[in-house]
Structures are given as C-alpha cells and as structure tokens.
Amino acid sequence: TPPSTPLPKVGVAVFLLSGSKVLLGKRLSAIGHSTFALPGGHLEFGESFEECATREVKEETGLDIDKTEYLTVTNNVISEKVHVVSIFMRAVPADPSQNPQTLEPEKCDGWDWYEWNNLPKPLFGPLQDMVQSGYNPFPTTAS
Ligand code: 8DG
Ligand code: MG
Ligand code: MG
C-alpha cells in the first residue's frame, strides 16, 4: 500500500445540550472553514466514544460534560482526500454555570449557545445534512 493512500478516519462530534440550545462554534480549520460545527475531533487509538467526546469538548471549550451517550453515526465523504465516519454523541454540561472558552483559537472563532429552532448558517456539511433530514438530538421527554 503506497503511504499516500488515504484512509477513512473516525470523527466524534458532541451535541452539547443546554435546555433547548446547542453549543456551536465557527470553524477556522481548512475542512469546513467558516461553518458552524459541534465540538469534536478524531478518535484516538484505544479510546471509547465517550472518552473521546469528553476529551475533545474539554480541549476545545474547557467544559466538563455529563450524561454522555451515543446517538448515531454518519458516513461523510467530504472531499477526494477526506472521508470521515462520524460518531455523534450527546451530553450536557457538568456545571451549567461554566462558560465555554475558545481554547483552540486557530481552529475555532468562538463558542456560543444557539436555539435548536434558530441555528446559525452555514452549518458544517455533515451537521447540515442531519438537520436537513429532520434529525433531532434532544431526548424525547416522557409524557
Ligand atoms: P484532531 O484531529 O485534533 O483530533 O481533531 P479536530 O481538528 O478537532 O477535528 P475536527 O475536524 O473538529 O473533527 C473531526 C471530524 O469529525 C471532522 O473533520 C468531521 C467529523 N465531524 C462531523 N460533524 C462534526 C461536527 O459538527 N463538529 C466536529 N468538530 N467534527 C465533526 O461529521
Ligand atoms: Mg475539533
Ligand atoms: Mg484531537
């Protein structure tokens, strides 16, 4: 196998939910530049999805998360060179009084909470596809 052969990667993205809001940040990375995305990153060797979600949210926002759970997976062929299998998790902030910090200013313009019914545009492609399909990350409340 030539060393340049691209391989799919595993991404983990986190719907961090607070009331009816979700945490999003405008990306400054080459992939999806200027689009709004969830906190997240690539699965490291030996990690569980929950561990990756906790680590990436902490690295990118400083927030500690709780009630972390798996939601769904999507297959994203983003370009000729980038193919990511994306694991979507949801969680809530461990401490609701903790504010998100922009800890990777080269990768994100800043974090903010957005109403699910009033999301900013443009969303990062894989996230936009989910919203477009009617996907809702919020837990269904008992009735
Ligand atoms: P790393 O390489 O330092 O581990 O991570 P990163 O630089 O923070 O990676 P990332 O691009 O933020 O996230 C990894 C991949 O996860 C991303 O390229 C594609 C996939 N992904 C989605 N949707 C989302 C999303 O809404 N947010 C983030 N951060 N990643 C997402 O499919
Ligand atoms: Mg990231
Ligand atoms: Mg990473």
Side-chain angles (χ1 to χ4, degrees):
T1 312
S4 62
T5 300
L7 290 169
K9 289 185 174 180
V10 178
V12 173
V14 184
F15 287 97
L16 189 56
L17 306 176
S18 178
S20 55
K21 295 184 177 182
V22 60
L23 190 73
L24 297 171
K26 193 189 276 183
R27 290 172 69 86
L28 297 177
S29 340
I31 307 295
H33 192 279
S34 296
T35 64
F36 289 88
L38 306 167
H42 295 101
L43 189 70
E44 291 185 357
F45 192 90
E47 269 186 330
S48 68
F49 299 154
E50 291 80 6
E51 286 167 344
C52 182
T54 300
R55 177 183 55 75
E56 286 286 348
V57 172
K58 185 74 176 177
E59 286 176 358
E60 296 186 350
T61 73
L63 297 176
D64 298 303
I65 63 175
D66 204 0
K67 298 186 181 169
T68 311
E69 51 185 322
Y70 167 83
L71 288 180
T72 193
V73 59
T74 68
N75 185 45
N76 301 286
V77 179
I78 294 174
S79 73
E80 269 181 45
K81 292 270 177 67
V82 182
H83 177 181
V84 185
V85 175
S86 303
I87 309 297
F88 288 87
M89 308 292 287
R90 86 171 153 223
V92 297
D95 174 2
S97 72
Q98 231 185 343
N99 288 314
Q101 297 166 260
T102 309
L103 297 182
E104 294 182 340
E106 70 290 351
K107 285 189 180 180
C108 177
D109 190 47
W111 300 104
D112 217 334
W113 297 101
Y114 295 90
E115 284 290 342
W116 182 253
N117 291 327
N118 191 20
L119 295 173
K121 289 176 192 163
L123 293 175
F124 186 33
L127 183 58
Q128 170 61 28
D129 293 345
M130 290 174 86
V131 171
Q132 190 70 39
S133 76
Y135 189 81
N136 187 319
F138 288 84
T140 46
T141 50
S143 56

